[in-house]
Amino acid sequence: MNKLVLIGNGMAGVACIEQILKFRQDFDITIFGDETHVNYNRILLSSVLAGEKSSSDIVLNSIEWYQTNGIRARLGVAIREIDQARKVVIDQDGNETEFDQLIIATGSSPFVPQVEGVNKENIHVFRTLDDTRALLEKSAPGAKAVVIGGGLLGLEAARGLQVQGCDVSVVHLMDTLMERQLDPAGGACLQRKMEELGVRVLLGRKTEAFLGNGHVQGLRFAGGEEIGADLVVVAAGIRPNAQLAREAGLKVNRGIVVNDFMQTSHPDIYAVGECAEHNGMVYGLVAPLYEQGKALAAAVAGRTAPGFSGANLSTKLKIMGVDVFSAGSIEEQGEGLETVRYEDPSQGVYKRVFLRNNRLVGAILVGDTTDDRKYLEWLRSGEDLSAHRRHLLFPPPMADAGSDVAAMADSETVCGCMGVTKGEIVHAIHEHGVSTLAQLKDRTRASTGCGSCAGTCSSILRAVSPDFEDESRKTICGCLPFTQEQLRTMIRTQKLRSPQDVLDIYGNGEGCAVCKPALSYLVDVTWCGDHHEDRSARFINDRVHANIQKDGTFSVVPRMRGGVTTPAELRRIADVAEKYKVPLVKVTGSQRLDLLGVRKEDLPAVWEELGMPSGQAYTKGVRMVKTCVGNQFCRFGTQDAISAGVELETRLENLYTPHKFKLAVVGCPRNCAEATVKDVGLIGQEGSWQIVVGGAAGKGVRKADLLTTVETTEEALEASEVFFQYYRENANYLERSYDFVERLGIEKIRKETIYAAPEVRQALLDRLRKSKDKSYDAWLERLAPRPSQFVTIQPMEHQTV
Amino acid sequence: MKWIRITETENIPPREGRVIAAGKELPADPIAIFNLGDRFVAIENRCPHGGGPLADGIVGGATVTCPLHNWRICLDSGRVSQPCDGAASTVRTFPVRVDEGVLLVGISETPR
């Protein structure tokens, strides 16, 4: 068997092996990796740093993959030497491994400027999973984090550290952020957005020294300016790891020189990825690296295939919720160069295209990247754009929605993170009946990375799948033909304050059991409780404030904020249960007591004698805040979970939500009250709180996403309130927070809640407070009931008898 | 047909139903009366599916949806409109008239 050795267990190398295995299985394969991890998605390390993904979420090839394919994985083993004459590699322990063919995929290393004090503690790079773990360990709310490097990687590190609660500054040598992808105006647009989100940006600063005694405490720039720092991340560029090849006598410039088949100067030695140099270019983005891998795989497997002919450089990414796209050449000067630009600073949108002889040579988009595919296609085709001159920056009116995806080649990569092509998506739709984005994610892993391709994936689904149903076009029911988003707008602009008004003006005038509760919710939330409450449009539970049971009786759950009660309350509950012959008293899963089997007529008296507020256990509203004991008694507790939980429940109780809403507060990461599977969870840790949202432990289990990390309890409560109101205003009725978070993506939610402009955040809080002021304990309706709200009507004939 | 005086109309708010206690003049199974906005209708307070209290359902037009499992029943005919395989079962209906603000329900002299 042919002995094939791969040095470098990273994305480019392993993807190449996957390609080779598609051609031939008769290789004896050994992979050396100096990291101890299996192959993972390096692009998603920023998501791990931001707490959105765990290290296991980003694994691309599990250990089982290596085993089933008969691959020897030598992890944590570095190669010291390549002997090209004897065709052996020598590892760090001096062991030799023979090869017939060798692939070098050693990637690159972070460039760290060797300035004074660079070896101090808490100065990190951001390249590997281990680096990420170290950063997670060192980051803490309020810690001063300085990121050196305003390029792609630096800004991603900044984002992650900010989510961890750090006070982040980005220091950049150049005068423009991401200057390789953006022009000064585009960079300024991105910078404004980042500054709005609370990241300090320092441009044109050359770091001269790291200050501090042992630990880093600050930086000094050329010119003498100094800033403080508790933690430094150096993301000032990367260098190809070509030393091994250079020492072996292979031809090396900046990277290892390869031809179109990724062959080095030795015919049996190949190189792929960030360590390789093709036609003077070293590529660092994943799409071209996968292309290289395909060319290499064909060559090693002895197939004739077109070689790698270079790639248009394009980047599309989200920096702290800001969409950025850049492609082609963005040189400012040149013979015959024309540029067209559009800028709207208040919207944070900037677009610029670069043309030569009416042909597109480059494009920059900030804040709105919906047309990126159009530019990529124009770049690729090199077509004359004379006919499109009036629509260079905006689509012509009435564009056919499916036309752009129809024009895509099957081989074109749609999801750069997971390397999924249009052809694979189409195959999944045809062969596996995939018809929703969620199914597509399951089947192909497309759109499970950064998520920026979700729009394109949906377009392909719409164009190809006969069953595709666009979630955003769904109406509630047949009574009124509008989406919930449209209904919210109509309610607001037409000043409709009751469900019946909406039905009379926009619907069939009648309504049904599906749309009426939804409209009740929508008018309530739109007018912050200042609506015309129509109980006939509410479900029975919301008319009598108890949960109907299968025999028509009701269950009664009094509120016990934070799951805390008193002997006096327990005594009253026991008395009520006996007096009204309550058939069953049960402890609920939400740290409360449930009295089951109460007759409707008895409800007002039961509430009166309990002397406790409604626990809203019957409604689409705020249920409860579950808490652990916290540091009041628990010897492991780091935060006062009970006090925070009681306060949180007090602030949110009595409000309606799109679906039931359950919260939890825990005083330490042991998570005894299961905060990670609640709609909102607060997780206390030493000196800070994590706020997690969109968790579920029902039909499905979903771990909540980290929204942010903050220092004080008040900040934690406020972040919860902001998310809570955002969910109330934006989720569809009957959409649980975990579906909502999944649908919108945590990035968008962060951008529009905790990272929103201060006035936007304040407006959310103001509307929440207004709703709260209008709300009341529903059980107080016992004092002034509506007409026969709780009674069984006695016929008059009886009364006279 | 015997007409039984039940209650003042204002005791049943628009688009809601109320259950009437069984009595010696009324059938043994309680009746539900609904205010449809422009008229009143009466029906046995018992869903043919699981016996759910129809008076507690949401009213849309002349249809009530049972609060337990969402069966839909036409208040005029007593027929089940959803699910369609429940259409075989019907609910007993009663005539209603209003006399000087008082609701009366008509009961056949010879109960079925």
Side-chain angles (χ1 to χ4, degrees):
Chain A
M1 272 215 291
N2 243 20
K3 290 194 270 302
L4 178 64
V5 171
L6 169 66
I7 309 177
N9 184 39
M11 292 175 76
V14 177
C16 180
I17 296 287
E18 283 185 328
Q19 284 294 330
I20 292 170
L21 290 170
K22 282 187 190 166
F23 293 126
R24 279 170 58 176
Q25 277 84 46
D26 58 345
F27 282 103
D28 171 26
I29 302 173
T30 309
I31 299 179
F32 290 92
D34 59 358
E35 288 187 64
T36 51
H37 308 285
V38 292
N39 179 33
Y40 58 86
N41 189 336
R42 205 179 291 284
I43 298 166
L44 294 179
L45 285 176
S46 59
S47 299
V48 176
L49 185 60
E52 294 154 6
K53 296 207 182 318
S54 69
S55 47
S56 58
D57 290 337
I58 65 166
V59 166
L60 287 173
N61 301 82
S62 65
I63 197 74
E64 289 77 27
W65 176 84
Y66 294 86
Q67 286 162 351
T68 20
N69 288 294
I71 295 169
R72 262 185 308 281
R74 307 287 314 279
L75 303 184
V77 181
I79 295 298
R80 198 179 67 197
E81 192 184 331
I82 301 167
D83 186 334
Q84 58 161 315
R86 290 170 50 224
K87 292 176 77 170
V88 293
V89 295
I90 303 161
D91 69 24
Q92 58 195 30
D93 304 320
N95 299 318
E96 298 193 349
T97 306
E98 289 177 20
F99 63 83
D100 295 309
Q101 275 125 353
L102 174 68
I103 302 171
I104 306 174
T106 43
S108 60
S109 301
F111 166 70
V112 181
Q114 293 304 304
V115 299
E116 180 191 332
V118 71
N119 294 321
K120 291 194 195 305
E121 275 185 55
N122 293 349
I123 300 177
H124 293 263
V125 293
F126 181 42
R127 168 81 190 168
T128 65
L129 199 47
D130 291 334
D131 295 338
T132 311
R133 285 180 178 159
L135 283 174
L136 277 172
E137 211 167 281
K138 299 283 174 60
S139 64
K144 287 195 286 288
V146 174
V147 177
I148 299 181
L152 217 144
L153 189 68
L155 298 186
E156 296 222 304
R159 171 188 80 119
L161 290 169
Q162 200 195 24
V163 173
Q164 297 298 333
C166 295
D167 172 15
V168 182
S169 304
V170 172
V171 173
H172 197 40
L173 183 63
M174 314 303 280
D175 291 319
T176 301
L177 287 177
M178 288 181 65
E179 77 284 350
R180 290 178 64 181
Q181 289 88 17
L182 299 177
D183 62 349
C189 182
L190 177 61
Q191 182 181 347
R192 265 194 308 277
K193 293 290 258 186
M194 298 197 50
E195 285 169 343
E196 274 172 23
L197 301 177
V199 173
R200 191 170 333 126
V201 179
L202 302 170
L203 299 175
R205 307 293 205 288
K206 182 172 196 290
T207 304
E208 215 172 51
F210 294 100
L211 313 174
N213 191 5
H215 289 111
V216 69
Q217 286 171 328
L219 288 77
R220 189 175 66 239
F221 304 126
E225 182 191 0
E226 293 184 1
I227 59 165
D230 303 316
L231 175 64
V232 172
V233 180
V234 182
I238 52 172
R239 295 286 178 268
N241 287 331
Q243 194 56 24
L244 198 57
R246 188 177 284 119
E247 285 167 3
L250 297 170
K251 184 162 186 236
V252 175
N253 293 335
R254 213 163 84 76
I256 305 165
V257 176
V258 294
N259 63 15
D260 287 358
F261 300 96
M262 311 312 290
Q263 249 169 341
T264 65
S265 54
H266 187 295
D268 289 323
I269 302 180
Y270 298 79
V272 66
E274 290 177 313
C275 62
E277 178 179 322
H278 175 266
N279 264 344
M281 288 288 294
V282 176
Y283 294 90
L285 298 168
V286 70
L289 302 191
Y290 283 157
E291 292 304 311
Q292 291 183 346
K294 285 177 188 168
L296 196 167
V300 166
R303 300 295 169 106
T304 45
F308 177 73
S309 54
N312 262 323
L313 283 182
S314 77
T315 314
K316 184 183 183 185
L317 72 160
K318 259 190 173 51
I319 301 282
M320 307 182 78
V322 183
D323 291 304
V324 175
F325 169 79
S326 165
S329 160
I330 56 161
E331 301 280 324
E332 295 275 345
Q333 314 271 323
E335 185 90 5
L337 189 74
E338 286 182 275
T339 80
V340 184
R341 40 190 282 179
Y342 168 82
E343 190 170 7
D344 183 348
S346 76
Q347 296 298 301
V349 174
Y350 175 76
K351 301 179 176 190
R352 184 177 186 190
V353 294
F354 300 74
L355 302 160
R356 186 174 285 122
N357 302 327
N358 271 325
R359 285 171 172 80
L360 189 74
V361 294
I364 293 171
L365 305 172
V366 178
D368 174 9
T369 59
T370 43
D371 289 333
D372 61 318
R373 300 228 145 260
K374 175 174 81 179
Y375 298 118
L376 284 175
E377 181 53 28
W378 283 348
L379 273 176
R380 194 192 61 76
S381 68
E383 69 181 284
D384 187 311
L385 298 177
S386 306
H388 299 284
R389 283 302 292 249
R390 295 187 55 191
H391 304 296
L392 287 175
L393 295 178
F394 296 95
M398 302 295 287
D400 174 9
S403 62
D404 52 337
V405 294
M408 285 170 68
D410 275 358
S411 60
E412 204 172 316
T413 301
V414 173
C415 174
C417 298
M418 296 296 167
V420 183
T421 62
K422 178 193 166 191
E424 289 169 72
I425 292 173
V426 171
H427 179 80
I429 295 169
H430 285 320
E431 299 303 315
H432 302 287
V434 164
S435 66
T436 67
L437 187 58
Q439 290 169 355
L440 186 68
K441 284 181 177 181
D442 272 358
R443 188 86 226 170
T444 64
R445 295 206 278 187
S447 191
T448 56
C450 73
S452 66
C453 63
T456 312
C457 290
S458 293
S459 297
I460 297 174
L461 278 162
R462 192 176 300 119
V464 180
S465 167
D467 305 322
F468 179 69
E469 209 178 313
D470 194 339
E471 304 279 323
S472 64
R473 299 297 315 158
K474 253 194 217 156
T475 57
I476 301 172
C477 67
C479 298
L480 65 178
F482 298 101
T483 66
Q484 295 199 30
E485 201 182 326
Q486 290 171 315
L487 287 171
R488 283 179 199 259
T489 310
M490 292 166 175
I491 289 168
R492 194 173 53 247
T493 57
Q494 303 304 307
K495 308 223 173 342
L496 306 177
R497 287 180 192 260
S498 79
Q500 195 59 44
D501 287 348
V502 184
L503 284 166
D504 285 342
I505 298 173
Y506 293 110
N508 63 4
E510 295 188 345
C512 70
V514 176
C515 60
K516 283 187 160 188
L519 292 172
S520 295
Y521 174 72
L522 293 176
V523 292
D524 176 342
V525 74
T526 305
W527 296 109
C528 300
D530 194 10
H531 62 293
H532 299 150
E533 174 71 18
D534 175 1
R535 285 295 163 76
S536 77
R538 297 270 190 198
F539 188 56
I540 184 64
N541 289 8
D542 287 311
R543 299 187 199 169
V544 299
H545 314 301
N547 198 353
I548 193 164
Q549 303 298 307
K550 60 188 269 190
D551 61 354
T553 64
F554 291 85
S555 85
V556 170
V557 181
R559 193 167 286 290
M560 286 178 182
R561 298 185 186 98
V564 179
T565 184
T566 63
E569 281 181 350
L570 291 172
R571 215 170 271 128
R572 293 202 299 276
I573 291 169
D575 289 344
V576 165
E578 282 183 352
K579 177 169 171 188
Y580 292 92
K581 300 192 169 48
V582 171
L584 177 67
V585 181
K586 189 175 181 312
V587 179
T588 73
S590 302
Q591 300 186 334
R592 317 200 278 189
L593 288 167
D594 194 351
L595 308 179
L596 288 132
V598 178
R599 300 187 316 150
K600 195 200 278 178
E601 300 85 286
D602 289 336
L603 289 171
V606 163
W607 299 338
E608 178 70 36
E609 287 169 47
L610 285 173
M612 296 166 73
S614 163
Q616 278 184 293
Y618 45 81
T619 192
K620 312 296 179 220
V622 176
R623 292 294 174 84
M624 82 302 158
V625 180
K626 194 171 180 174
T627 66
C628 74
V629 166
N631 66 4
Q632 285 189 26
F633 282 90
C634 177
R635 62 203 161 95
F636 299 116
T638 55
Q639 292 279 4
D640 186 352
I642 290 181
S643 300
V646 169
E647 173 63 20
L648 187 58
E649 189 161 343
T650 309
R651 289 193 192 186
L652 303 183
E653 66 188 19
N654 299 330
L655 290 169
Y656 285 112
T657 42
H659 208 302
K660 61 183 172 184
F661 203 83
K662 297 180 163 193
L663 306 90
V665 179
V666 293
C668 83
R670 285 173 189 79
N671 196 20
C672 292
E674 301 112 27
T676 48
V677 289
K678 291 287 185 283
D679 296 294
V680 164
L682 268 57
I683 302 166
Q685 42 199 25
E686 202 63 57
S688 68
W689 290 98
Q690 286 188 327
I691 291 90
V692 297
V693 298
K699 207 184 293 170
V701 180
R702 182 180 194 275
K703 184 167 178 275
D705 288 315
L706 178 62
L707 181 69
T708 186
T709 310
V710 295
E711 208 172 344
T712 67
T713 305
E714 181 51 39
E715 289 171 299
L717 294 170
E718 196 176 293
S720 310
E721 288 180 298
V722 167
F723 171 78
F724 174 76
Q725 181 66 12
Y726 180 79
Y727 165 68
R728 278 177 24 107
E729 293 181 8
N730 292 283
N732 287 325
Y733 186 67
L734 295 187
E735 183 176 35
R736 282 295 295 266
S737 75
Y738 43 82
D739 291 324
F740 175 68
V741 170
E742 192 97 328
R743 175 165 67 89
L744 267 63
I746 189 70
E747 275 297 332
K748 178 177 165 70
I749 292 171
R750 277 191 194 133
K751 182 180 156 197
E752 296 180 358
T753 57
I754 50 161
Y755 295 151
E759 59 273 19
V760 173
R761 281 201 308 271
Q762 192 54 48
L764 279 165
L765 288 171
D766 288 346
R767 289 193 293 273
L768 175 62
R769 302 272 145 77
K770 189 176 168 206
S771 297
K772 182 69 184 166
D773 286 346
K774 288 277 174 191
S775 72
Y776 59 89
D777 167 21
W779 287 1
L780 293 176
E781 282 182 14
R782 65 178 179 264
L783 301 174
R786 301 171 56 245
S788 35
Q789 185 176 3
F790 304 105
V791 303
T792 295
I793 292 174
Q794 299 296 321
M796 288 172 161
E797 308 293 85
H798 276 227
Q799 293 160 7
T800 55
V801 170
Chain B
M1 179 80 63
K2 186 168 185 188
W3 289 93
I4 316 291
R5 286 163 65 82
I6 304 293
T7 189
E8 285 88 10
T9 51
E10 60 260 31
N11 281 331
I12 304 178
R15 298 181 298 275
E16 287 190 52
R18 290 289 185 266
V19 58
I20 314 301
K24 62 175 192 221
E25 308 268 15
L26 293 170
D29 289 322
I31 292 174
I33 300 185
F34 292 86
N35 178 348
L36 300 188
D38 53 354
R39 64 201 163 97
F40 290 85
V41 289
I43 192 168
E44 192 182 318
N45 185 35
R46 195 182 148 75
C47 179
H49 171 229
L54 297 176
D56 286 342
I58 290 178
V59 176
T63 299
V64 67
T65 301
C66 176
L68 295 191
H69 307 97
N70 297 321
W71 275 38
R72 291 188 179 193
I73 289 132
C74 171
L75 290 167
D76 287 320
S77 66
R79 271 200 283 275
V80 176
S81 62
Q82 199 180 311
C84 43
D85 60 4
S89 30
T90 51
V91 186
R92 190 177 168 195
T93 59
F94 303 88
V96 180
R97 69 182 165 90
V98 179
D99 189 6
E100 291 181 348
V102 172
L103 284 163
L104 292 89
V105 171
I107 306 292
S108 313
E109 303 281 354
T110 48
R112 283 185 287 185

